[in-house]
Amino acid sequence: ILIRQHKMRGTVMKEHGKAIRRVGNVVFVALLLVTLYFLAAAIGRTVAWVTTWVVGAYSPQDVMGWGVDMLSLLFHYLLVGFLVFVAFIFRTISREETPFVKSVSRRMKLAALFLLIGLVLPNWAGQIINNLLGQSSGFTFFDESNTLVVILSVIIYCFALIFDYGCRIQQENYEIL
């Protein structure tokens, strides 16, 4: 009876592994396609920035516009990097046929940190530049977008901790068998 249950469990695990592999590959490819879209947009904005600020219409009064455009470019390239990073998390999940791998939880923690740093810091830098140039006064530590990013980062980090726990349970399960 135990051997039959073990074989049945193995069959179910293989089916789940195949499903995880398929979904992981689909998400990986979808994220890479979205990344290509954002990369094309970032390159287009870079070309526009170079032609506007470096080659042509730069004047000392336009320092504010130059800084805002530069931060926007930084944001786009950080978003591209983040999407590639997340895509490869799904690639690892599909190759291993399980999300309960130490490298996945470690990368998720890094993704949470990358998201927090990559999206909140440029916003704060823009506010500081605006204040230094006299374009605005005051500083908003948490506006709606920053709050959303912080919450999303915390959620991703919590999922990483859950995956850590799943790794330990899976390891204990393998040791028992």
Side-chain angles (χ1 to χ4, degrees), residues 3-61:
I3 293 173
R4 189 176 341 156
Q5 287 177 344
H6 181 68
K7 285 181 182 179
M8 288 175 51
R9 187 179 306 145
T11 304
V12 171
M13 292 301 289
K14 285 180 186 178
E15 290 173 13
H16 284 294
K18 287 179 184 178
I20 289 171
R21 181 179 290 266
R22 276 193 310 270
V23 171
N25 283 332
V26 167
V27 172
F28 174 72
V29 170
L31 281 172
L32 287 183
L33 290 174
V34 170
T35 301
L36 286 175
Y37 171 77
F38 279 110
L39 182 61
I43 290 171
R45 292 188 85 154
T46 302
V47 169
W49 182 83
V50 168
T51 56
T52 301
W53 297 109
V54 177
V55 177
Y58 175 72
S59 69
Q61 293 80 18

Side-chain angles (χ1 to χ4, degrees), residues 1 5 14 83-84 86 92 115 121 130 161 166-167 169 176:
I1 294 174
Q5 287 177 344
K14 285 180 186 178
L83 289 173
V84 168
V86 171
T92 302
L115 183 66
L121 288 184
N130 284 342
L161 293 176
C167 289
I169 290 175
I176 290 171

Side-chain angles (χ1 to χ4, degrees), residues 1-157:
I1 294 174
L2 290 175
I3 293 173
R4 189 176 341 156
Q5 287 177 344
H6 181 68
K7 285 181 182 179
M8 288 175 51
R9 187 179 306 145
T11 304
V12 171
M13 292 301 289
K14 285 180 186 178
E15 290 173 13
H16 284 294
K18 287 179 184 178
I20 289 171
R21 181 179 290 266
R22 276 193 310 270
V23 171
N25 283 332
V26 167
V27 172
F28 174 72
V29 170
L31 281 172
L32 287 183
L33 290 174
V34 170
T35 301
L36 286 175
Y37 171 77
F38 279 110
L39 182 61
I43 290 171
R45 292 188 85 154
T46 302
V47 169
W49 182 83
V50 168
T51 56
T52 301
W53 297 109
V54 177
V55 177
Y58 175 72
S59 69
Q61 293 80 18
D62 292 332
V63 171
M64 176 64 186
W66 181 86
V68 169
D69 285 350
M70 190 61 132
L71 286 172
S72 177
L73 286 175
L74 174 66
F75 170 78
H76 276 80
Y77 284 109
L78 287 172
L79 181 62
V80 166
F82 177 76
L83 289 173
V84 168
F85 191 78
V86 171
F88 279 97
I89 291 173
F90 281 96
R91 183 68 175 158
T92 302
I93 291 171
S94 71
R95 282 188 177 163
E96 298 292 331
E97 295 183 352
T98 180
F100 301 115
V101 180
K102 277 290 187 192
S103 64
V104 169
S105 64
R106 186 175 50 250
R107 288 178 184 172
M108 286 179 67
K109 290 174 188 173
L110 287 173
L113 183 64
F114 187 69
L115 183 66
L116 186 66
I117 291 172
L119 295 180
V120 173
L121 288 184
N123 188 351
W124 289 342
Q127 290 183 47
I128 291 170
I129 290 171
N130 284 342
N131 286 335
L132 292 175
L133 295 174
Q135 300 293 327
S136 67
S137 61
F139 184 82
T140 306
F141 193 70
F142 284 110
D143 60 3
E144 294 84 14
S145 62
N146 285 350
T147 303
L148 182 64
V149 169
V150 169
I151 290 170
L152 186 59
S153 296
V154 168
I155 290 170
I156 292 171
Y157 190 82

